[in-house]
Amino acid sequence: LVDELQRRGLEPTIITYSALISACQKAGQWEKALEIFDELQQRGLEPEIITYSALISACQKAGQWEKALELLDELQHRGLEPTIITYSAL
């Protein structure tokens, strides 16, 4: 999808990536969500709290509790404040 956007001359934003991660979460594809998260960072985008919340939710729903808690710690080290949505994802 990201490649298709770029072929059409559109540059994906953090909102685009957050939506993709959320879609992966809904589809139970937590590993794909992690790949997308890595890709957005490689492209120089900074994840926002909504990005982390969707990723944490994807990991939690797949039973990947350790990874979800690791992401919670990571977002706090980046200076982001967890929201009620973030905590609900756990």
Side-chain angles (χ1 to χ4, degrees), residues 34-83:
L34 286 171
E35 288 174 24
I36 292 168
F37 185 76
D38 289 341
E39 180 182 328
L40 76 87
Q41 293 180 95
Q42 289 171 5
R43 291 180 182 259
L45 296 172
E46 288 291 323
E48 296 177 353
I49 193 64
I50 194 164
T51 315
Y52 272 105
S53 296
L55 188 57
I56 288 168
S57 181
C59 291
Q60 177 274 332
K61 287 186 178 184
Q64 301 297 316
W65 291 99
E66 288 180 15
K67 186 62 179 175
L69 292 173
E70 179 184 313
L71 290 164
L72 179 63
D73 187 52
E74 180 182 316
L75 75 88
Q76 291 173 315
H77 278 93
R78 285 182 175 231
L80 297 172
E81 287 292 321
T83 65

